Amino acid sequence: MTTVRRGATALAATAVLLAGGAGAVAPAAHAAPSPAPSPSAPAVPAGLYGAKDPTYDGVWRQSLAFMAQQATGVEPAGQAVAWLLDQQCDDGGFPSFRADTAGDCPAGKPLDTNATAVALQALKGVDSHEDRTRQAREDATAWLKRVQNHDGGWGYNPGSPSDANSTALVVSALAAVGEEPGSVRAAGGKSPYDALLTFALPCSAKPGGGAFAYQPEKDGTLRANDDATAAAVLAGLGKHALVRGVTPDQEPTCVDAAKPTAERAARNGAAHLAAAVAKTGHLDLPPMPGTTTTAAQPDVGNTADAALSLAAAGHREAATRAVTWLEGNSAAWAKEGGPAAYAQLVLAAHTAGADPRAFGGADLVAQLNATGPKPASTPDTRDRGEAEKEETAKKEEESGFPVWLLVAVFLVAGIGVGFLLSGRGGKRKP
């Protein structure tokens, strides 16, 4: 799903666009998941996860927190759900954050496809405010469809050029709420998958074969971007951030096809990520624009994204390698990043089959919960029957064999044995 830092990157991307003029490309996210507070920053409202300035990532980090809680059986506080619902504008879109929610969003308030997409997915799994959440999801879905670009994709804000990250995030959100992303077509007939394919590098590209670019550069060149690749892999497979890893393991392969499909491009992207994490267990940050530093720095956030996408693609060995590295190297990053960072690690662990409650010696779920309002319920406080149902569903999902059918088989077998014993007993009667 995605990198949790994308919301906070809006400011950095805007600065690059202003400095570079038209056609400048937003770099991969280098900012912390939540921007540091400034003297003019709005007060952090009650109900919001995290204590840092929410201007650029309030909706984002709240939504990611909900998604991670859903993956671990935690129900967020009603106050937290109400906060997210209040952020939505009357037309269905979400801004990155708005401090005044007394009325509708003011004219000219920038709306955010990324925030809207993650809010849509997050609200699917909460229990409180049922009528409001249902309506909010319907409105958000309709809004995303209305602002789809002619090429089938989405940009960060409505009307901006499509990029791989935003397009992939919307696709995954639509898939999460039961839509068929391939059927969501722009006025010209193009689908989101048509847009995703325009960002895919061929396997023969050097460097970055099989990866995805964020956007084409001014001359049309595609430059590999691991953040975009991780998001596009998930979307190209028609999956979302709460998916579980595929078994059995599949070998990563990169194959150029005469008529590529989104799935083939996604698998090529997964092969690129698998090769990247095979070296050190982590991905590296690309150099910041304007710097001459050549020493590679680990990119914790994108490594978590890659682990999730690799597991979703069935590359468990590569995903496990990344998760193992994260268990030993992500604690300081998560503490600084706050709720969105903890959520990203929880989601990666969930998909890759690791335990987020024992992640490198830390309970990520407890750490996430501590950044916001006390949850309405946790696995320890839920009804035991509900927990047993979830455990049964989990076993069915992992085994591919419905437990009810297994029980039925044993019952039928028992009936047969009963008849057999009855028959034998009858023969023994004098």
Side-chain angles (χ1 to χ4, degrees):
M1 151 149 348
T2 59
T3 175
V4 300
R5 298 168 300 164
R6 197 168 302 122
T9 309
L11 179 61
T14 301
V16 170
L17 289 170
L18 291 175
V25 177
H30 291 270
S34 298
S38 67
S40 60
V44 176
L48 175 62
Y49 281 79
K52 293 185 178 181
D53 180 0
T55 300
Y56 301 105
D57 78 331
V59 170
W60 181 268
R61 74 198 196 204
Q62 190 84 343
S63 300
L64 265 290
F66 287 4
M67 290 162 63
Q69 289 176 325
Q70 291 165 29
T72 55
V74 176
E75 176 62 27
Q79 180 190 34
V81 176
W83 183 91
L84 183 57
L85 289 167
D86 288 344
Q87 289 292 302
Q88 189 174 31
C89 300
D90 286 355
D91 66 0
F94 282 78
S96 301
F97 168 78
R98 61 174 177 141
D100 184 3
T101 60
D104 190 20
C105 298
K109 177 72 174 178
L111 299 186
D112 179 343
T113 61
N114 291 223
T116 303
V118 293
L120 170 61
Q121 185 169 347
L123 290 171
K124 177 180 181 293
V126 298
D127 291 338
S128 63
H129 306 278
E130 184 176 352
D131 291 338
R132 285 191 67 192
T133 56
R134 184 187 303 110
Q135 188 62 53
R137 294 195 305 270
E138 292 175 0
D139 293 346
T141 301
W143 182 83
L144 287 169
K145 292 179 179 180
R146 286 199 306 273
V147 300
Q148 185 178 20
N149 286 338
H150 187 75
D151 63 4
W154 286 267
Y156 192 95
N157 302 114
S160 60
S162 297
D163 65 77
N165 298 71
S166 300
T167 300
L169 191 61
V170 174
V171 167
S172 290
L174 292 174
V177 297
E179 295 280 337
E180 295 183 5
S183 300
V184 178
R185 295 186 176 270
K190 291 191 175 181
S191 77
Y193 295 130
D194 292 321
L196 272 182
L197 286 170
T198 66
F199 305 116
L201 279 72
C203 298
S204 57
K206 295 186 181 300
F212 284 76
Y214 172 77
Q215 281 179 329
E217 298 188 13
K218 291 181 180 180
D219 61 359
T221 302
L222 296 177
R223 178 176 296 180
N225 182 298
D226 289 337
D227 182 22
T229 302
V233 166
L234 203 61
L237 296 175
K239 297 184 177 182
H240 53 83
L242 292 177
V243 70
R244 285 193 174 275
V246 174
T247 55
D249 290 356
Q250 301 179 32
E251 186 69 23
T253 57
C254 194
V255 179
D256 284 328
K259 292 183 178 181
T261 63
E263 181 181 355
R264 181 66 262 170
R267 297 204 173 280
N268 291 349
H272 165 81
L273 293 175
V277 301
K279 300 174 184 177
T280 59
H282 63 79
L283 300 178
D284 292 326
L285 283 166
M288 287 288 285
T291 65
T292 57
T293 304
T294 58
Q297 296 293 322
D299 187 333
V300 182
N302 279 348
T303 300
D305 287 340
L308 192 159
S309 295
L310 286 167
H315 308 319
R316 187 174 295 272
E317 181 179 348
T320 299
R321 183 174 177 82
V323 167
T324 300
W325 183 88
L326 287 167
E327 287 184 305
N329 297 276
S330 63
W333 173 82
K335 183 177 180 180
E336 171 62 25
Y342 286 123
Q344 187 173 359
L345 293 173
V346 168
L347 291 170
H350 169 262
T351 303
D355 185 357
R357 290 186 170 83
F359 194 84
D363 185 339
L364 296 176
V365 182
Q367 291 174 330
L368 168 62
N369 292 344
T371 67
K374 182 180 179 180
S377 68
T378 65
D380 293 334
T381 61
R382 289 176 304 159
D383 177 76
R384 179 174 296 179
E386 179 184 349
E388 290 176 350
K389 288 179 182 178
E390 290 187 7
E391 183 63 23
T392 298
K394 178 181 176 182
K395 289 179 179 179
E396 290 181 6
E397 182 178 3
E398 292 176 346
S399 68
F401 192 78
V403 173
W404 67 264
L405 183 57
L406 184 63
V407 172
V409 169
F410 280 116
L411 286 175
V412 172
I415 293 171
V417 170
F419 280 128
L420 182 60
L421 293 176
S422 175
R424 289 178 177 175
K427 289 179 181 178
R428 287 197 297 268
K429 291 180 180 179

